[in-house]
Amino acid sequence: MSAVIHASVQMELPAEANAVLRAEMTPQVAVQALLAAGRPQDALTLLARLLPKRYAVAWVCQCAREQALTQEDRAGASLAEQWVREPSESNRRAAFEFAHAGGYRSLGAWIAASAGWSGGSLAPATQETPVPPPEHLTARATVAAINLLAALEPAEFDARRKAFIERATSLLQAGGGEA
């Protein structure tokens, strides 16, 4: 199964999006095809899953850096950025615990979750038996964070989301796609 089709299935893209995709498409072509078909949410979802996790988190952090954020949102972005710079378990755990403590109710929590769900365990730190996150959870948090970033200016949501997507399509080539 191609990376594009695997990512589409894993992210549960709707039949209308899958009708646009072909197994032989490169990740960049697949994302552009969804955009051209007027399916930006599906393009965002596929893009977030095809990017290597560290690239996806770095992308969200880059987009967040240019926004006027609350103190809480900046704190979550800072933790995610720390993980991008040094993807250690302690940095991942700090991002995960920030997102979890905030109940995933803020933009900052979703940015932090993108890093926090990248690996390790979702169980409490004191639990011996690890609970690894499903492989697509970083992508799910990335999609939520990008949509929330776009929604910071509701009247420009569609244009902002598309600009964020366009910014990251070059990362697909650089990262080679992950799925």
Side-chain angles (χ1 to χ4, degrees):
M1 183 180 301
S2 78
V4 167
I5 300 303
H6 178 73
S8 174
V9 168
Q10 196 173 50
M11 297 302 287
E12 301 173 340
L13 292 185
E16 298 84 1
N18 286 317
V20 174
L21 301 174
R22 302 284 173 263
E24 65 275 4
M25 288 178 162
T26 65
Q28 244 179 343
V29 168
V31 169
Q32 290 301 328
L34 288 169
L35 286 172
R39 304 202 59 86
Q41 183 62 33
D42 296 327
L44 170 61
T45 302
L46 187 66
L47 170 62
R49 181 60 190 107
L50 289 169
L51 285 171
K53 291 175 185 177
R54 203 161 158 206
Y55 282 56
V57 178
W59 168 43
V60 170
C61 291
Q62 179 188 37
C63 293
R65 221 178 285 130
E66 300 167 356
Q67 309 303 312
L69 301 177
T70 67
Q71 185 175 353
E72 180 180 352
D73 294 343
R74 281 194 308 275
S78 178
L79 289 167
E81 223 169 306
Q82 183 64 31
W83 177 82
V84 169
R85 285 192 200 104
E86 185 186 331
S88 67
E89 176 58 15
S90 63
N91 287 338
R92 185 210 63 82
R93 174 60 72 174
F96 169 72
E97 289 181 0
F98 177 89
H100 189 69
Y104 306 95
R105 286 187 295 267
S106 69
L107 169 57
W110 284 105
I111 296 170
S114 69
W117 291 349
S118 65
S121 177
L122 300 180
T126 56
Q127 181 175 313
E128 287 185 34
T129 306
V131 178
E135 281 299 309
H136 66 288
L137 275 190
T138 291
R140 293 278 187 210
T142 298
V143 169
I146 291 293
N147 279 326
L148 288 168
L149 283 165
L152 289 174
E153 295 181 30
E156 297 178 30
F157 177 82
D158 291 332
R160 287 170 53 82
R161 179 174 58 181
K162 186 174 182 195
F164 291 146
I165 292 168
E166 293 292 340
R167 174 183 292 179
T169 55
S170 63
L171 295 175
L172 283 171
Q173 189 172 34
E178 177 181 46

